[in-house]
Amino acid sequence: MRANKKRNEMDNRYKWKLEDIYAANDAWEQDFKLVREYLELVIPYQNQIGESAKNLWGCLQDSEKLDRLIEKLYIYARMRRDEDNANDTYQRLFARIEALAIEAGSMISFIIPEISSIEEELIYSYMEEEPKLKQYSHFFAELFRLKDHILSPAEEKIIAMSADLSISSRNIFTMLNNADIKFAEITDENGNKVEVTKGRYGGLMESPNREVRKSTFDSLYDSYGKLINTIGASLNGSVKSDIFYAKVRKYSSSLEAALASDNIEIKVYESLIDSVHQHLPSLHRYMELRKKMLGLDSIHMYDLYNPLVAEHNVKVGYEKAHEILLKGLAPLGKDYLATMIEGLDGGWVDVYENEGKTSGAYSWGAYDTHPYILMNYDDKLNDIFTLAHELGHSMHTYYSNRKQPYTYSKYSIFLAEVASTVNESLLIDYLIANSSDKREKMYLINHYLEQFRGTVFRQTMFAEFEKIIHEIAEQGEALTPQRCNEIYLDLNRMYYGKDVVLDEQIAWEWARIPHFYSSFYVYKYATGFSAATAIKQSIISEGEKAVKDYMEFLTAGSSDYPLEILKKTGVDLTTSIPINNALDYFKELLDQLEDLSS
């Protein structure tokens, strides 16, 4: 197992090139000072925006210039901190830009209320007078749609000033989860003592040795259990923050407020949960098959991640992963592949885990930079899929930034998981189709089933948990850690069925999920996975036409409402059809695995 090195011991070949953003911290400091100058360009527009087309255009341009600079500063400092969360220099850099971004947001908070107070007819006349304003037509339409939830300039300023308070729960959890928490050592299959880290956790939980899995599970969850009250208070603070902002903006619930920015109705969220509930018998059947194939009398929560075909628990080096990705994603066309190779070879990716590095994986980047990918690659097959997933995000960002103006460059989070999952789906289809070995094919199908379980079933369970805890708090009831434990345990019991033994520590799992600090986010994994399944099937069956439609989706950014952009690919998530079709496909894969294993 790879040693957990310090950051300065890591090979530069496997580090991202944040120097492409700022060559050195001194350059960052120079831009940091520029923020004040840019603010001085924007502030004089206060109470003047609606006076003329020239003022409206000028305010939009100057505020965009400010936003782009702050974004670049923020992302650099945050990603530097993510390299090593214990690095004091970048903790301070990030804290400074975070504070300045909040201050700047407060100082220019008058912009949206002022623009939304301009009569629609006058806005349209300004667009005729100054044709360049027409690029903001969808932006203006969004303001008119949300007008009832935009407050007065003075109230918006107070809301902006409170941002520092609103993110405190998340920041506390981030530092605890990435820098402070430690896990007990375990003994691996070879009798060696191994330090459990979040980066190693996945590999250890895939061990064919059940005792290794159990001790790893106990090590991780016992550490969270000891902090359950602290983390419970942190999550409770985050939920209360969600409710506060929903009330202030005159929404009936925090769920409605969270969905409003994407113009998504609550019924889409509830329909997802209902559809998944209807297909839970398939998940229960999969659990029964897992128990049978593993030869277990009973199946525990620590038995859910090890491959059912142990001898195909192969190690895949990072360079080999590149080769596999190029073949698996070939249906997306030469332009897509060429750009992807440029990114992989050009410093987009920070590959391996090091001491203090933020766990997990993500894709990020500013409008004025190329995308970046944080990985904690551990030579597992799952890591190839994680890389394909994050490349999907990065390519979506790349194409959106290249085609759209800054205003529409950021695609909605509702759409964010589509491109990433299309990549994963194409890759697994390629690997299954090119496998001539029965047991390898079983392994790959099992991996695909695990993607469904983790992305559709599990994320929907998370989404249901979020919905319940917010409703409890909105009703004025106490959201204690014990209450969270009870809710989470009940959901696991419903989702996994009678064949899975619910180890008591699983009740604490909610305490380690960072997404709960970005309210009502996780359901988008499930909807995105379902949409991606449909898109992938179209690409395979229709070829060039479907790829062309998909590229329109990738380049659309936020130039229209998310559901309308998704319709470019032929997927309509206002109906339950994509969810049900995806879950029916899960059942088909399960049928195949049952046949192969019989």
Side-chain angles (χ1 to χ4, degrees):
M1 183 173 290
R2 184 179 291 109
N4 208 11
K5 297 180 180 179
K6 293 185 181 298
R7 181 68 185 180
N8 61 10
E9 298 173 332
M10 303 299 289
D11 190 328
N12 286 332
R13 291 179 300 162
Y14 302 114
K15 295 180 181 179
W16 52 22
K17 293 182 181 177
L18 297 188
E19 296 81 6
D20 292 346
I21 308 178
Y22 288 108
N25 291 349
D26 288 347
W28 185 92
E29 294 288 358
Q30 290 173 12
D31 270 3
F32 186 84
K33 293 175 183 177
L34 275 179
V35 172
R36 297 288 180 188
E37 296 179 24
Y38 286 10
L39 272 169
E40 292 303 316
L41 296 176
V42 178
I43 292 172
Y45 288 107
Q46 189 164 10
N47 300 320
Q48 305 294 323
I49 301 175
E51 295 299 313
S52 66
K54 180 182 177 181
N55 281 8
L56 179 57
W57 170 254
C59 181
L60 289 170
Q61 290 299 292
D62 287 339
S63 61
E64 176 181 303
K65 186 179 178 182
L66 173 65
D67 286 344
R68 286 169 69 168
L69 182 63
I70 290 175
E71 176 187 69
K72 187 178 175 183
L73 288 161
Y74 185 97
I75 287 174
Y76 175 84
R78 170 62 189 271
M79 290 197 294
R80 280 297 189 200
R81 193 195 75 176
D82 285 347
E83 293 175 347
D84 180 0
N85 282 271
N87 186 311
D88 182 68
T89 296
Y90 293 115
Q91 283 186 27
R92 287 186 283 109
L93 234 64
F94 180 65
R96 286 169 59 204
I97 186 56
E98 188 174 52
L100 183 57
I102 291 168
E103 181 186 352
S106 172
M107 294 174 72
I108 66 171
S109 60
F110 63 86
I111 294 175
I112 297 302
E114 277 198 38
I115 296 177
S116 66
S117 69
I118 303 172
E119 293 295 328
E120 290 185 44
E121 294 78 9
L122 186 56
I123 290 282
Y124 293 132
S125 70
Y126 284 165
M127 284 194 283
E128 292 301 319
E129 181 182 337
E130 176 49 84
K132 287 184 289 187
L133 282 170
K134 290 182 179 179
Q135 70 174 277
Y136 291 98
S137 57
H138 181 63
F139 168 78
F140 293 137
E142 274 290 86
L143 289 185
F144 299 145
R145 181 178 70 85
L146 297 170
K147 189 172 184 177
D148 290 344
H149 304 287
I150 297 172
L151 310 179
S152 70
E155 290 169 324
E156 287 291 343
K157 184 171 184 178
I158 294 172
I159 293 298
M161 290 171 64
S162 72
D164 205 12
L165 299 175
S166 73
I167 60 175
S168 60
S169 292
R170 182 176 68 217
N171 286 344
I172 290 168
F173 176 78
T174 297
M175 296 310 294
L176 184 152
N177 195 43
N178 290 307
D180 294 341
I181 196 165
K182 300 295 180 185
F183 311 107
E185 286 187 341
I186 61 110
T187 302
D188 69 11
E189 296 94 333
N190 302 314
N192 300 316
K193 291 291 185 181
V194 176
E195 179 189 359
V196 175
T197 67
K198 290 190 290 297
R200 292 174 182 156
Y201 180 75
L204 291 168
M205 289 299 287
E206 291 180 4
S207 170
N209 187 305
R210 199 180 194 200
E211 189 55 39
V212 169
R213 300 197 302 270
K214 183 180 185 306
S215 58
T216 301
F217 180 88
D218 291 343
S219 171
L220 187 93
Y221 284 104
D222 286 351
S223 293
Y224 282 100
K226 292 172 183 175
L227 296 168
I228 201 71
N229 291 309
T230 301
I231 299 176
S234 178
L235 182 61
N236 189 35
S238 181
V239 170
K240 286 182 176 179
S241 175
D242 298 335
I243 295 169
F244 169 77
Y245 289 108
K247 286 182 177 178
V248 166
R249 294 203 176 278
K250 305 171 188 175
Y251 289 103
S252 62
S253 67
S254 49
L255 176 57
E256 183 189 29
L259 302 186
S261 61
D262 288 327
N263 198 23
I264 306 291
E265 295 183 13
I266 290 177
K267 69 177 182 180
V268 173
Y269 195 98
E270 294 176 336
S271 177
L272 167 67
I273 294 173
D274 289 343
S275 293
V276 170
H277 281 184
Q278 292 169 21
H279 288 82
L280 285 178
S282 294
L283 181 59
H284 299 167
R285 192 175 127 213
Y286 175 48
M287 292 297 102
E288 184 179 357
L289 178 62
R290 172 168 275 276
K291 182 173 71 172
K292 176 183 174 183
M293 289 184 66
L294 290 173
L296 300 173
D297 293 330
S298 61
I299 185 168
H300 287 251
M301 300 305 294
Y302 48 79
D303 297 319
L304 300 188
Y305 296 94
N306 53 309
L308 297 181
V309 185
E311 57 264 41
H312 286 284
N313 187 15
V314 294
K315 293 288 185 180
V316 183
Y318 184 65
E319 284 74 16
K320 182 64 176 179
H322 288 196
E323 298 175 20
I324 295 171
L325 284 172
L326 288 174
K327 294 176 182 177
L329 303 183
L332 294 173
K334 293 181 180 179
D335 180 74
Y336 190 98
L337 291 183
T339 303
M340 188 180 78
I341 293 169
E342 178 186 334
L344 288 170
D345 293 340
W348 286 18
V349 188
D350 201 79
V351 182
Y352 295 115
E353 181 182 19
N354 59 255
E355 186 176 314
K357 183 177 176 180
T358 292
S359 62
Y362 65 65
S363 169
W364 208 14
Y367 185 72
D368 295 306
T369 75
H370 58 70
Y372 286 92
I373 296 171
L374 179 138
M375 290 284 296
N376 283 275
Y377 197 87
D378 195 32
D379 294 347
K380 302 189 300 291
L381 176 61
N382 190 57
D383 292 321
I384 306 179
F385 288 99
T386 300
L387 181 58
H389 182 102
E390 299 306 335
L391 276 168
H393 287 309
S394 289
M395 296 297 287
H396 195 176
T397 298
Y398 173 85
Y399 283 113
S400 179
N401 287 352
R402 190 172 69 168
K403 177 69 179 291
Q404 297 297 330
Y406 180 76
T407 308
Y408 303 130
S409 61
K410 292 177 177 60
Y411 46 84
S412 162
I413 293 177
F414 184 81
L415 300 176
E417 296 307 322
V418 175
S420 55
T421 310
V422 166
N423 276 13
E424 285 194 80
S425 298
L426 286 169
L427 180 59
I428 190 68
D429 274 7
Y430 164 79
L431 291 171
I432 291 174
N434 286 274
S435 172
S436 58
D437 182 90
K438 176 182 176 181
R439 296 191 66 78
E440 181 179 73
K441 188 165 290 191
M442 290 170 62
Y443 177 87
L444 291 166
I445 292 172
N446 174 228
H447 182 85
Y448 209 167
L449 289 169
E450 280 298 295
Q451 297 302 301
F452 270 95
R453 182 179 72 82
T455 309
V456 181
F457 290 106
R458 190 165 184 256
Q459 299 298 331
T460 301
M461 185 181 76
F462 287 172
E464 193 167 358
F465 175 75
E466 279 194 279
K467 184 173 185 289
I468 293 169
I469 63 173
H470 280 80
E471 287 173 348
I472 287 172
E474 284 167 343
Q475 292 163 8
E477 298 179 33
L479 188 62
T480 65
Q482 182 59 36
R483 188 75 182 275
C484 289
N485 291 346
E486 292 169 356
I487 295 164
Y488 200 82
L489 196 62
D490 285 343
L491 286 171
N492 272 274
R493 185 175 292 110
M494 175 173 64
Y495 273 73
Y496 285 105
K498 62 181 177 60
D499 281 303
V500 177
V501 177
L502 295 180
D503 304 276
E504 62 174 352
Q505 296 102 316
I506 201 62
W508 306 331
E509 186 180 37
W510 59 268
R512 76 179 188 96
I513 309 300
H515 286 99
F516 290 156
Y517 294 84
S518 300
S519 61
F520 303 108
Y521 177 95
V522 293
Y523 89 101
K524 299 169 189 179
Y525 285 113
T527 55
F529 191 99
S530 301
T533 300
I535 293 169
K536 179 263 300 184
Q537 290 172 333
S538 295
I539 289 171
I540 296 301
S541 61
E542 299 175 21
E544 188 175 340
K545 177 186 179 303
V547 171
K548 182 180 178 181
D549 291 342
Y550 181 55
M551 293 304 292
E552 283 191 34
F553 165 83
L554 291 180
T555 59
S558 58
S559 58
D560 202 344
Y561 296 119
L563 292 178
E564 296 306 311
I565 290 174
L566 194 55
K567 287 177 183 177
K568 295 177 184 292
T569 67
V571 176
D572 184 359
L573 279 173
T574 62
T575 75
S576 60
I577 293 173
I579 309 295
N580 288 327
N581 285 349
L583 291 169
D584 285 343
Y585 187 53
F586 174 85
K587 184 175 178 295
E588 291 176 19
L589 290 168
L590 183 57
D591 290 341
Q592 291 180 43
L593 185 59
E594 285 179 333
D595 289 344
L596 287 167
S597 64
S598 61

